[in-house]
Amino acid sequence: NAGVMQNPRHLVRRRGQEARLRCSPMKGHSHVYWYRQLPEEGLKFMVYLQKENIIDESGMPKERFSAEFPKEGPSILRIQQVVRGDSAAYFCASSQALNTEAFFGQGTRLTVV
Amino acid sequence: AQTVTQSQPEMSVQEAETVTLSCTYDTSESDYYLFWYKQPPSRQMILVIRQEAYKQQNATENRFSVNFQKAAKSFSLKISDSQLGDAAMYFCAYRSAVRGGGSNYKLTFGKGTLLTVNP
């Protein structure tokens, strides 16, 4: 049973470009969570999704950031018009149900130049 | 809102020795979970140990054990017989266990402690 898969592992974007980060949850998991880790910081919650629904996006910046988890395919975290401050590691986690253990992917390191 | 504080940005230990990493947290809830995660240079977040607040017995996993002091809101991690592979960033994390609660799926992390193991 493969773990949570994130790709790409590393992503470099110029200021103003779009970044798309993908997360395939573990098999049988329908709950997905995105976290951001800024340099020298712990992970901070961004958004919680179930299939086709955003449940809680209270940790997402109001502009430029969006997330989806379609019926088919991976969850996508999309950052439009990236700025240097978006440079961070973005982690995805998945769980089988609410209140069950969440497993993390290896993260995507986004660098904005 | 809950907060998690790790007061030791860096710690070091000699191989085969024991080291304790500190964590304190603030919450008004009585039912919650506490976790220690390890993040090696690969950046993978690996769950080391988990404690349910309603359990008085401290959790243990092989060489890893915790000292959970609920009244003091303290949750330290003890690593015995330290190995070179234990070198990593360690994060303490909190999650509410309140049923029907608004955010019992969110993990709140501390800033981490970088552990170095010296041969």
Side-chain angles (χ1 to χ4, degrees):
Chain A
N1 188 7
V4 178
M5 304 300 292
Q6 289 188 250
N7 68 82
R9 290 292 310 278
H10 302 275
L11 182 62
V12 179
R13 283 288 175 266
R14 295 188 185 278
R15 280 177 292 171
Q17 290 185 319
E18 178 179 288
R20 291 171 73 89
L21 289 62
R22 293 174 185 75
C23 168
S24 296
M26 287 180 69
K27 187 177 180 180
H29 287 194
S30 59
H31 300 252
V32 165
Y33 317 85
W34 285 93
Y35 287 80
R36 178 165 66 174
Q37 185 180 27
L38 294 169
E40 313 296 326
E41 297 280 330
L43 281 68
K44 295 266 194 313
F45 170 82
M46 297 182 76
V47 61
Y48 160 39
L49 310 102
Q50 292 182 31
K51 281 288 186 181
E52 299 184 274
N53 291 304
I54 297 173
I55 308 301
D56 181 355
E57 56 183 350
S58 60
M60 290 267 275
K62 292 288 184 280
E63 298 178 352
R64 302 188 296 108
F65 284 71
S66 62
E68 63 177 15
F69 187 18
K71 187 176 179 181
E72 302 289 338
S75 175
I76 306 286
L77 179 68
R78 182 180 177 209
I79 312 172
Q80 295 179 289
Q81 298 173 346
V82 295
V83 300
R84 288 241 171 95
D86 296 333
S87 295
Y90 292 83
F91 286 88
C92 169
S94 73
S95 67
Q96 191 170 37
L98 196 62
N99 295 330
T100 59
E101 184 180 344
F103 294 84
F104 282 86
Q106 286 192 289
T108 294
R109 182 175 292 281
L110 171 66
T111 301
V112 179
V113 297
Chain B
Q2 292 78 26
T3 58
V4 176
T5 302
Q6 294 179 250
S7 59
Q8 306 153 316
E10 296 184 26
M11 291 282 284
S12 64
V13 63
Q14 290 296 124
E15 201 175 358
E17 297 291 310
T18 296
V19 65
T20 299
L21 308 184
S22 300
C23 173
T24 57
Y25 58 95
D26 189 26
T27 184
S28 58
E29 297 174 336
S30 59
D31 198 10
Y32 50 86
Y33 301 96
L34 296 164
F35 305 85
W36 278 98
Y37 282 88
K38 171 185 178 182
Q39 187 180 44
S42 67
R43 290 206 322 269
Q44 177 78 51
M45 291 292 286
I46 301 165
L47 179 63
V48 174
I49 201 164
R50 159 187 159 140
Q51 174 81 41
E52 287 99 335
Y54 67 87
K55 288 188 178 177
Q56 291 188 338
Q57 188 172 8
N58 288 325
T60 62
E61 283 290 338
N62 301 315
R63 297 182 296 108
F64 298 86
S65 61
V66 298
N67 183 5
F68 173 47
Q69 301 289 330
K70 191 172 184 181
K73 294 180 182 170
S74 169
F75 182 61
S76 60
L77 175 69
K78 184 170 88 171
I79 306 174
S80 304
D81 185 25
S82 296
Q83 301 175 358
L84 294 177
D86 294 334
M89 183 73 86
Y90 285 81
F91 292 99
C92 179
Y94 171 103
R95 196 184 90 203
S96 173
V98 175
R99 290 182 186 276
S103 60
N104 55 2
Y105 42 82
K106 285 184 197 177
L107 286 161
T108 301
F109 287 87
K111 289 193 174 184
T113 297
L114 181 62
L115 178 66
T116 303
V117 180
N118 301 311

